[in-house]
């Protein structure tokens, strides 16, 4: 049987990287099957994620945790001509399991070639990097990641392609539409 799976994620991260709001909805055949919603803080008031859905609970986040935008900034800050590795503890709110340890391998720079990107002239002058991300639980010493993402990311943070491997299934995402302000 064919199953249609849709995942919508709406997130907001403060400029300082200390507050985060998340709403992730998963639908199977147009019927909502999972909802993860809440807020998180990494400041003097708290270092925790407060969930309102799927159930109300608080998870204390490990020291050094960052949110996704800050992690992307860390990855792009080391991106250059030679491969680099970035290790971080990241909370994204996509599950109610808390933060994950993320090992990012940033490949060599792919120079900008505007003729390769005619559908998106905004990206024509941007170099990009292939980044492989492996996600591990922070409370275990597993050798195998729970999931992996391979992404082609441009210098401005836009992802042109994403290949996600969740073990039981894989998903490929390609940039189809781009609107810049």
């Amino acid at each position: 049987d064919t199953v249609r799976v849709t995942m919508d994620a709406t997130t907001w991260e403060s400029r300082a990287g200390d507050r985060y709001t998340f709403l992730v909805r998963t639908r199977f055949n147009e019927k909502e099957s999972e909802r993860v919603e809440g807020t998180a803080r990494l400041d003097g008031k708290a270092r925790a994620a407060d969930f309102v859905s799927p159930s109300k609970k608080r998870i204390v986040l490990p020291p050094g945790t960052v949110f996704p935008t800050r992690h992307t900034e860390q990855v792009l800050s080391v991106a250059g001509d030679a491969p680099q590795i970035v290790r971080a503890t990241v909370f994204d709110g996509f599950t109610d399991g808390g933060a994950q340890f993320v090992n990012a391998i940033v490949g060599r720079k792919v120079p900008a070639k505007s003729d390769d990107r005619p559908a998106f002239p905004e990206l024509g002058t941007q170099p990009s990097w292939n980044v492989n991300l492996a996600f591990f639980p922070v409370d275990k010493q597993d050798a195998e990641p729970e999931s992996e993402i391979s992404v082609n990311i441009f210098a401005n943070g836009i992802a042109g392609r994403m290949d996600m491997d969740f073990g039981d299934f894989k998903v490929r995402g390609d940039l189809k539409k781009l609107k810049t302000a």
Side-chain angles (χ1 to χ4, degrees):
D1 292 339
T2 301
V3 176
R4 181 179 170 92
V5 179
T6 306
M7 177 184 267
D8 297 308
T10 304
T11 63
W12 174 85
E13 186 173 331
S14 69
R15 185 177 299 268
D18 60 350
R19 290 177 292 134
Y20 186 65
T21 302
F22 52 95
L23 169 59
V24 182
R25 295 179 302 199
T26 305
R27 293 182 183 93
F28 284 93
N29 295 327
E30 304 304 322
K31 184 179 178 187
E32 187 169 284
S33 63
E34 184 178 24
R35 181 183 190 100
V36 180
E37 183 176 5
T39 60
R41 297 185 75 108
L42 299 171
D43 58 20
K45 294 181 181 179
R47 195 182 71 243
D50 293 303
F51 292 85
V52 296
S53 183
S55 62
K56 191 171 182 172
K57 70 177 178 177
R58 173 173 267 206
I59 294 177
V60 175
L61 299 172
T65 298
V66 296
F67 298 132
T69 300
R70 183 72 53 183
H71 183 249
T72 300
E73 290 172 346
Q74 290 174 348
V75 166
L76 288 172
S77 74
V78 303
D81 294 327
Q84 298 289 328
I85 296 175
V86 176
R87 294 176 180 92
T89 302
V90 180
F91 176 81
D92 63 11
F94 277 60
T95 70
D96 64 349
Q100 293 182 298
F101 178 73
V102 181
N103 191 25
I105 300 173
V106 185
R108 289 183 172 86
K109 179 166 66 174
V110 178
K113 294 180 185 175
S114 58
D115 57 323
D116 289 347
R117 303 170 187 148
F120 305 107
E122 302 91 334
L123 302 178
T125 60
Q126 297 281 323
S128 65
W129 293 265
N130 291 317
V131 179
N132 293 308
L133 303 150
F135 296 82
F136 300 86
V138 294
D139 58 347
K140 297 179 185 167
Q141 296 294 320
D142 290 349
E144 295 293 320
E146 288 184 330
S147 61
E148 295 179 86
I149 297 176
S150 174
V151 62
N152 175 254
I153 190 167
F154 291 90
N156 59 7
I158 294 173
R161 174 201 37 77
M162 236 185 232
D163 292 308
M164 297 166 273
D165 183 347
F166 297 101
D168 294 340
F169 65 96
K170 295 178 182 182
V171 177
R172 178 172 189 131
D174 290 303
L175 183 62
K176 297 290 183 191
K177 185 176 178 182
L178 177 63
K179 182 178 177 183
T180 59

